[in-house]
Amino acid sequence: VMALRHYTLDFSLSAPVDSASTVPGLLSIFHEQEMTEIVHDTRGHGYLATLVGKNGRAFLSSLSPQLLNALETKLKALLNGNITRIKRLPALVRGAKVDRYLPTTDGRLVEYDIDRLVYEEESAYQNIKIFHSKQFGNILVLNGDVNLAESDLAYTKAIMGSGKENYAGKEVLILGGGDGGILAEVVKQKPKMITMLEISFLVIDGCKMHMRETCGDVLDRLKGDCYQILVEDCVPVLKKYVKEGRMFDYVINDLTAIPITTEPEEDSTWEFLRLILDLSIKVLHPSGKYFTQGNSVNMTEALSLYEEQLGNLSCPVDFSKEVVCVPSYLELWVFYTVWKK
């Protein structure tokens, strides 16, 4: 299958233009390239034609920069001073072997410099892909959502408290974190014990092979001198810890944005978030801190709803937030620190 490159000239006119007098002049450029047009009925709303070369391919698959230059020049000449703005947009590539387009949280389409897919698995919980990017290194993408790239130490530092916390000798609980970034950074500070709860072994397996800049060697084994990785759903484990009275100095919530649990009653995002918050605060030492990612700064309504949830917990809490630039996200991201009042 051949990838198609769609080139667009975006322009505005200061006054209406008669297509009958303008279009023939533009079509002459394509006729010189031995292309013919198929005109589509637009019921009077402009002019739409599909241009096809002599070999049967649509012109979009073989459009040259020279042809674009000629088209832009001809437009300016035909329309005289009637063009108020003109811009040649980069090509939109459709049907390529590797999909380079991923949406931001607030719905904008971003083209990444992805050149290959290095890992893909379908677990019982999610689709797992790791792409290679020229500038960001390998990028973990879960269910089409960018989670972390090897360039994104800023994310890991932010969700650990931005260098303001001392983890030495502390009990730490990580929820999610299958890329190993948080685990690798906390281990460096010699905590008493880190317990990491990650539901998918396939995420761990992919990241230990292809995200080494992020995780180092901490994912090579499920137990180390000061950490243990439990490949389990965090919800029932948290409930068990609450019953046992288990306490942690730090709880770091690095779960994916899309709720994943084996607990059937958790059927909405907000119920899931509130449940995780509530259980986490219950296992948090009175002087401890709970860290989590929030959302894009542009998602103001979602951030406000999240902050409302903080006011509905079984234990009263205070919180602060910080905005951080995470390289591969291509948008500013909000992180929260929560503690008991």
Side-chain angles (χ1 to χ4, degrees):
V1 178
M2 178 183 291
L4 298 179
R5 304 179 74 85
H6 291 249
Y7 292 88
T8 303
L9 280 177
D10 180 34
F11 58 91
S12 298
L13 302 174
S14 57
V17 170
D18 177 25
S19 62
S21 60
T22 306
V23 170
L26 294 176
L27 289 177
S28 65
I29 295 171
F30 297 103
H31 293 161
E32 290 168 8
Q33 303 293 320
E34 298 184 69
M35 295 179 182
T36 56
E37 70 274 9
I38 301 169
V39 179
H40 306 275
D41 182 12
T42 64
R43 301 180 185 274
H45 298 288
Y47 184 94
L48 177 65
T50 302
L51 290 129
V52 181
K54 60 181 178 178
N55 58 4
R57 290 184 302 171
F59 80 93
L60 287 170
S61 65
S62 57
L63 195 60
S64 66
Q66 291 79 12
L67 194 55
L68 272 176
N69 289 339
L71 185 60
E72 188 172 343
T73 302
K74 193 75 171 179
L75 267 173
K76 289 177 179 176
L78 286 169
L79 299 173
N80 294 316
N82 203 4
I83 295 181
T84 58
R85 174 184 58 83
I86 188 165
K87 182 177 183 179
R88 187 186 306 177
L89 302 179
L92 181 67
V93 182
R94 294 176 58 236
K97 187 175 180 182
V98 178
D99 180 13
R100 296 157 59 103
Y101 299 98
L102 293 166
T104 57
T105 308
D106 57 353
R108 291 172 291 115
L109 188 63
V110 173
E111 181 178 4
Y112 283 81
D113 60 346
I114 291 167
D115 55 13
R116 65 185 183 274
L117 177 67
V118 298
Y119 179 85
E120 181 174 16
E121 291 288 344
E122 194 79 37
S123 76
Y125 314 106
Q126 58 205 161
N127 175 264
I128 306 157
K129 289 188 177 79
I130 299 177
F131 293 101
H132 176 262
S133 155
K134 295 172 186 175
Q135 63 181 321
F136 301 128
N138 286 342
I139 306 175
L140 175 65
V141 177
L142 300 177
N143 285 343
D145 182 47
V146 173
N147 271 240
L148 196 78
E150 290 180 305
S151 62
D152 295 346
L153 184 59
Y155 175 100
T156 305
K157 295 287 190 185
I159 205 169
M160 289 173 56
S162 296
K164 300 169 189 170
E165 305 300 322
N166 179 11
Y167 288 87
K170 301 295 175 61
E171 288 273 359
V172 183
L173 178 63
I174 301 172
L175 308 178
D179 52 71
I182 297 169
L183 180 61
E185 292 301 312
V186 178
V187 161
K188 293 175 184 176
Q189 295 198 30
K190 312 258 185 245
K192 181 179 179 182
M193 177 55 68
I194 308 164
T195 301
M196 178 172 135
L197 303 174
E198 167 59 52
I199 199 168
S200 176
F201 181 76
L202 289 174
V203 172
I204 294 171
D205 201 41
C207 291
K208 78 178 180 184
M209 292 188 289
H210 301 292
M211 299 279 288
R212 302 292 285 193
E213 288 294 317
T214 295
C215 65
D217 63 359
V218 295
L219 298 180
D220 292 351
R221 62 200 70 83
L222 296 180
K223 283 192 177 182
D225 292 339
C226 62
Y227 70 88
Q228 60 175 342
I229 301 171
L230 305 179
V231 184
E232 297 185 44
D233 180 353
C234 71
V235 173
V237 177
L238 278 169
K239 288 178 177 178
K240 179 168 73 78
Y241 287 167
V242 171
K243 285 183 181 178
E244 294 171 351
R246 182 94 180 265
M247 303 294 276
F248 296 89
D249 298 294
Y250 293 99
V251 177
I252 304 174
N253 177 359
D254 193 34
L255 298 170
T256 60
I258 300 164
I260 296 170
T261 178
T262 56
E263 297 280 289
E265 71 269 19
E266 316 314 333
D267 58 358
S268 84
T269 299
W270 290 113
E271 284 177 7
F272 179 80
L273 288 173
R274 189 166 55 248
L275 175 70
I276 294 296
L277 272 165
D278 221 16
L279 292 171
S280 296
I281 296 301
K282 285 176 179 175
V283 299
L284 190 66
H285 190 277
S287 61
K289 289 182 180 176
Y290 170 87
F291 295 115
T292 188
Q293 61 157 322
N295 214 318
S296 161
V297 292
N298 286 344
M299 301 298 285
T300 52
E301 185 177 350
L303 290 168
S304 295
L305 287 170
Y306 182 78
E307 289 167 21
E308 279 182 27
Q309 303 305 317
L310 293 173
N312 296 330
L313 302 179
S314 56
C315 172
V317 298
D318 277 328
F319 70 92
S320 63
K321 55 186 173 181
E322 179 183 15
V323 176
V324 173
C325 179
V326 180
S328 77
Y329 284 19
L330 301 175
E331 52 186 329
L332 296 176
W333 209 252
V334 179
F335 292 83
Y336 286 95
T337 304
V338 182
W339 60 92
K340 294 179 181 178
K341 284 186 179 179

